[in-house]
Amino acid sequence: MQSPVIQPKVPLLAEPPQSVIKFFADSTSIEDIRDLAATGLIDGVTTNPSMVGKSGRPILELIGEICQLVEGPVSAEVAGATCKEMVREGRILGKVAPNVAVKVPLTWEGLQACGILSREHGLMVNVTLCFSANQALLAAKAGATFVSPFVGRLDDLNIDGLDLIREIRAIYGNYPALRTEILCASVRTPNHVKGVALAGGDIVTLPPEVFPKLVDHPLTEKGLAAFMADWAAGGQSIK
Ligand code: E4P
């Protein structure tokens, strides 16, 4: 007799819900990004001038390679100090791949460059080095696709970085038409990730070495070892 076909009672999710927090890799390591992309859990990448400088590779080549590894936004930062320089560099970076997000600093010049790059040139812009709610408000007003508040660097000064995420979430929530996403950066620990999710951050970018720490739990390992021992002792198999 043929086995009956069992219909699932709930629809199977082909794609994760769009509203779930996004995870970006904060890295310029091709190897790490490739490994993380293979998990299917990575939605984008962030880089900064320190990382690119240390990579020893020309920025356009490096960013181009990263953009081929992930479909989502890849942040690449300008180095100019004036709006004019930032716009010039941002346009060059924006031509590397359609998924480049031009990163500009949260300065008056950077905010002006953000407006020009996003509104006149149609580029995604990540306004970075955000340390206050008013700065985040200005980034949104300037048309930023992303604003990057730095959680860990505030914690370094004994100021609760997650408070800033809560403030920005509350302020942006007062203006539902705002489309700027809160890209929580300088995230260094699993507790930061949990805190960002509790605060309603849209995106968390974290160094590759933090990802495994989100999964690891001694009770999971212990439980699995016990299950497998009992399974083997019972002579079971799935065929
Ligand atoms: C992300 O865009 C930032 O470059 C990064 O998260 C900074 O992290 P750090 O404060 O640990 O250097």
Side-chain angles (χ1 to χ4, degrees), residues 26 46-48 51 75 77 103 126 128 148 150 152-153 156 183-188 205-207:
D26 197 24
T46 51
T47 68
N48 65 37
M51 290 178 194
S75 288
E77 191 160 342
K103 216 169 168 188
N126 176 358
T128 190
S148 290
F150 277 38
R153 291 192 194 189
D156 290 343
L183 196 173
C184 305
S186 189
V187 164
R188 301 169 184 163
T205 187
L206 52 160

Side-chain angles (χ1 to χ4, degrees), residues 109-133:
E109 297 288 327
L111 289 169
Q112 289 169 58
C114 171
I116 295 169
L117 289 166
S118 62
R119 295 187 176 121
E120 293 180 23
H121 299 289
L123 292 165
M124 289 189 283
V125 181
N126 176 358
V127 180
T128 190
L129 289 167
C130 171
F131 293 95
S132 79

Side-chain angles (χ1 to χ4, degrees), residues 26-170:
D26 197 24
S27 177
T28 50
S29 161
I30 296 297
E31 199 185 347
D32 286 344
I33 294 167
R34 186 179 284 122
D35 287 351
L36 287 168
T39 68
L41 296 170
I42 295 301
D43 306 291
V45 172
T46 51
T47 68
N48 65 37
S50 301
M51 290 178 194
V52 175
K54 287 175 193 162
S55 78
R57 294 187 58 189
I59 183 168
L60 300 186
E61 178 192 296
L62 178 64
I63 296 298
E65 195 172 344
I66 296 173
C67 284
Q68 289 186 344
L69 297 176
V70 292
E71 281 181 23
V74 173
S75 288
E77 191 160 342
V78 298
T82 65
C83 171
K84 196 174 166 191
E85 286 165 347
M86 290 183 209
V87 169
R88 185 187 64 77
E89 292 175 351
R91 292 185 66 194
I92 294 170
L93 290 169
K95 284 190 184 127
V96 170
N99 54 333
V100 164
V102 178
K103 216 169 168 188
V104 300
L106 215 157
T107 59
W108 284 118
E109 297 288 327
L111 289 169
Q112 289 169 58
C114 171
I116 295 169
L117 289 166
S118 62
R119 295 187 176 121
E120 293 180 23
H121 299 289
L123 292 165
M124 289 189 283
V125 181
N126 176 358
V127 180
T128 190
L129 289 167
C130 171
F131 293 95
S132 79
N134 280 333
Q135 287 182 322
L137 192 54
L138 287 169
K141 192 105 176 107
T145 316
F146 310 103
V147 64
S148 290
F150 277 38
V151 174
R153 291 192 194 189
L154 283 170
D155 282 1
D156 290 343
L157 300 182
N158 212 16
I159 298 166
D160 188 345
L162 291 172
D163 272 350
L164 175 58
I165 309 302
R166 287 185 274 271
E167 283 181 358
I168 300 172
R169 179 79 284 156

